Amino acid sequence: MRLFIALRFGKEIEHALLSAQDELRSYGIKGSYTNCMNLHLTLAFIGEYDDPQKVLDVLGRVDFRKFSLRLSGTAGAFGDLWWAGLEKQPELPVLASKVRRALSENSIPFDRKPFRPHITLLRRAAVPYGSDFSIKSLKLSKAAMTADSISLMLSSRENGKLIYTELGTVYAAD
């Protein structure tokens, strides 16, 4: 099972992200757009691991509080992967660190790359020939939500499409 731990979004942020994708499409930007059901913020990527219940048990012991999460209004790229940015929130990297520490202490493997919060809008982005469009010129709304839970997600492929399925959710202490 290919697993990861994520924050899932409320309707306001989801709507802002879908609007940004629509704007990219209006500029003729091609690529693999993230399906609205798959929009998320990864806290830790586990990869292949066959004991989701152990992961959920470990997540259930992670102490965290609700906090505000807001889109920064800007976008960027890691090569041909285009993303939406988030305002810096001290609680977000703390939560990611707590999740990763709990995984490590319980011998659950995960990708140890540094935490770089972003929301993938599009993979394999391709700007039409002759266009001067830059992802940095995309302006997103500063939509917000209260982050009050984390989810264990399963990543699978069905008919060539990437499908993310929530296997369980852990809620904030307050």
Side-chain angles (χ1 to χ4, degrees):
M1 304 179 91
R2 191 172 168 89
L3 304 175
F4 64 94
I5 299 163
L7 285 174
R8 301 190 72 196
F9 302 120
K11 293 295 179 196
E12 184 181 348
I13 287 183
E14 187 176 284
H15 177 74
L17 297 171
L18 294 174
S19 293
Q21 288 178 326
D22 287 344
E23 184 176 344
L24 292 172
R25 286 184 184 98
S26 76
Y27 285 103
I29 308 301
K30 302 290 185 202
S32 179
Y33 284 86
T34 303
N35 180 293
C36 67
M37 300 301 292
N38 290 352
L39 291 166
H40 70 279
L41 172 65
T42 301
L43 297 172
F45 179 76
I46 296 170
E48 293 298 327
Y49 191 74
D50 289 328
D51 193 352
Q53 189 56 55
K54 180 178 179 182
V55 178
L56 284 169
D57 292 345
V58 167
L59 290 179
R61 295 189 300 267
V62 173
D63 180 42
F64 69 102
R65 306 281 182 253
K66 297 176 186 179
F67 62 94
S68 291
L69 191 66
R70 180 182 300 273
L71 294 177
S72 66
T74 60
F78 302 134
D80 66 355
L81 184 146
W82 289 9
W83 49 263
L86 296 157
E87 285 186 0
K88 291 188 190 278
Q89 293 291 90
E91 296 91 347
L92 182 57
V94 168
L95 176 58
S97 178
K98 286 180 176 185
V99 165
R100 290 164 176 233
R101 186 176 323 114
L103 294 173
S104 183
E105 289 171 354
N106 288 276
S107 302
I108 299 172
F110 63 96
D111 185 341
R112 294 181 182 268
K113 288 180 190 156
F115 179 62
R116 295 175 70 184
H118 66 281
I119 304 159
T120 301
L121 296 171
L122 171 67
R123 290 176 176 81
R124 295 180 301 284
V127 178
Y129 181 77
S131 172
D132 62 351
F133 182 84
S134 165
I135 185 61
K136 294 193 183 294
S137 65
L138 181 68
K139 297 295 180 217
L140 289 95
S141 113
K142 288 195 172 194
M145 66 175 264
T146 298
D148 62 357
S149 65
I150 54 179
S151 298
L152 176 61
M153 305 296 293
L154 169 68
S155 174
S156 59
R157 288 209 177 264
E158 292 180 22
N159 299 322
K161 293 194 178 219
L162 196 56
I163 306 291
Y164 296 156
T165 305
E166 187 176 71
L167 298 179
T169 303
V170 174
Y171 293 92
D174 53 75

